[in-house]
Amino acid sequence: MHQPHIDVPHTMRVVDSHTEGEPTRVVIDGWPQPAGDTMAERRDDLRARFDHLRRAVVREPRGHDAVVGALLTPPVHADSAAGVVFFNNGTYLGMCGHGLIGVVRTLEFLGRLRVGHHQFDTPVGTVRAELADDGSVTIENVPARLHARDVTVEVSGYGRVTGDVAYGGNWFFITHVRAVPVDLAHVRELTRFTQAVQDAIRAAGITGADGADIDHIEISAPPSRADADARNYVLCSGGDYDRSPCGTGTSATMAMLHARGQLALGQPWRQEGITGSLFTGWLTAGANGELVPHVRGTAFVTSESTLHFDPHDPFRSGFGCA
Ligand code: PYC
């Protein structure tokens, strides 16, 4: 059935939070519901009919390149709390680890969810989250896996770069190459380097399963904190970097380490992000032997606001490069 294109509403209510430094903007109301019986269909309908709303909510002048938006929908499964589609300045995400932690804390803030276990439907599968008394949230992600190991690409200006392709709810290329120091002082250079790696991967036709675009590039380096196992820098699909240690990236990293015999089931993996914040993760075995990642972190609500979209505002649908 033909669905009409909807213009930007006059207002939208949002709650902003950050998870270990990375922002999440949950749309509470004002965004018309997408059509579809599955979350993948709803994501596709958002892309087809509401893409200008994605840009309006997360891009400048109301947002910025690091913001991940979350649109809540009715659940697909009766025992889920909600459906959620994550998006950023450039596209839609399969899953988002920091974003789910932000959604849980936002729903708690709104009095819609309490301490305990909750389930959410996403375009890549159903995920779980446990909200603890201390405000920490542990997510149980979709299964993660190593897809291809020791993949080498020639990166213009940097030479040969080798890494692994792994899935953790999004597709990652994970490299240990130290072309640029992995610290906040070098974040612009890290972004340039990882964008060049991404260009090289795409030019070489390297993909995830079924031709999936590898739209996250992760550099794994030694930690700066005594309580961490590694530190990462993650280039996200919108072209900006993750301020948190990246939940789906931590999931993909743990699957890669497990496949390489470097991380046992149940063994904690403490992933430091580029801003120095920390996720603690571990893997368990699913019913069919799949690797189920668990990632724990904390989010804080930073604001509750109403976005205004004046019909005369030439930037009511946002602007930005991605
Ligand atoms: O935490 O999974 C994550 C994530 C993906 C992109 C930004 N954060």
Side-chain angles (χ1 to χ4, degrees):
M1 190 177 69
H2 174 73
Q3 301 275 356
H5 179 89
I6 311 260
D7 196 14
V8 183
H10 285 205
T11 60
M12 242 187 249
R13 211 155 69 82
V14 299
V15 173
D16 289 343
S17 61
H18 80 84
T19 304
E20 310 295 355
E22 176 77 348
T24 306
R25 171 165 284 178
V26 182
V27 179
I28 301 305
D29 62 34
W31 185 320
Q33 280 296 319
D37 294 331
T38 67
M39 292 310 298
E41 284 171 5
R42 292 175 190 173
R43 187 252 341 260
D44 292 347
D45 188 48
L46 289 177
R47 189 180 275 130
R49 288 196 301 138
F50 300 99
D51 209 47
H52 56 300
L53 301 191
R54 171 184 67 76
R55 298 191 301 269
V57 167
V58 294
R59 282 187 177 185
E60 293 183 52
R62 292 166 188 81
H64 57 85
D65 284 351
V67 175
V68 170
L71 179 70
L72 300 175
T73 75
V76 168
H77 296 104
D79 42 359
S80 295
V84 56
V85 180
F86 295 105
F87 52 91
N88 64 20
N89 54 342
T91 188
Y92 299 83
L93 286 84
M95 227 302 276
C96 183
H98 95 268
L100 186 63
I101 294 170
V103 165
V104 169
R105 290 282 278 166
T106 293
L107 293 176
E108 180 196 27
F109 170 80
L110 294 169
R112 296 188 191 175
L113 181 149
R114 294 195 189 155
V115 165
H117 294 264
H118 307 280
Q119 185 174 291
F120 296 86
D121 300 315
T122 79
V124 291
T126 297
V127 295
R128 289 169 192 80
E130 182 186 0
L131 171 63
D133 278 326
D134 64 359
S136 67
V137 178
T138 304
I139 65 166
E140 186 184 308
N141 196 1
V142 292
R145 63 190 187 276
L146 173 64
H147 176 71
R149 64 173 79 193
D150 297 330
V151 176
T152 299
V153 280
E154 187 67 38
V155 182
S156 169
Y158 296 95
R160 286 160 70 81
V161 173
T162 300
D164 293 336
V165 177
Y167 180 76
N170 295 301
W171 282 98
F172 288 80
F173 180 81
I174 305 169
T175 181
H176 291 87
V177 160
R178 306 290 301 281
V180 182
V182 181
D183 57 38
L184 209 47
H186 291 85
V187 87
R188 281 175 194 272
E189 230 174 310
L190 286 163
T191 302
R192 260 196 307 277
F193 168 58
T194 48
Q195 280 169 344
V197 172
Q198 182 157 67
D199 290 346
I201 288 171
R202 286 179 174 152
I206 297 162
T207 67
D210 302 321
D213 187 36
I214 299 168
D215 56 5
H216 289 73
I217 310 294
E218 175 169 343
I219 307 174
S220 183
S224 72
R225 298 170 52 142
D227 60 350
D229 295 301
R231 179 181 221 187
N232 67 15
Y233 165 96
V234 177
L235 177 74
C236 298
S237 50
D240 207 341
Y241 68 95
D242 198 332
R243 278 70 170 157
S244 83
C246 192
T248 51
T250 299
S251 300
T253 298
M254 291 192 297
M256 175 273 287
L257 291 169
H258 181 75
R260 287 180 169 277
Q262 294 166 11
L263 187 73
L265 292 180
Q267 186 182 339
W269 175 256
R270 291 152 311 171
Q271 181 67 64
E272 180 185 358
I274 194 70
T275 58
S277 57
L278 195 82
F279 279 157
T280 300
W282 63 95
L283 294 169
T284 56
N288 301 310
E290 68 274 24
L291 292 175
V292 181
H294 304 255
V295 178
R296 177 176 299 148
T298 307
F300 298 92
V301 168
T302 53
S303 75
E304 188 182 12
S305 54
T306 301
L307 304 180
H308 288 258
F309 305 96
D310 188 319
H312 303 293
D313 180 353
F315 292 136
R316 68 182 176 286
S317 291
F319 65 88
C321 52

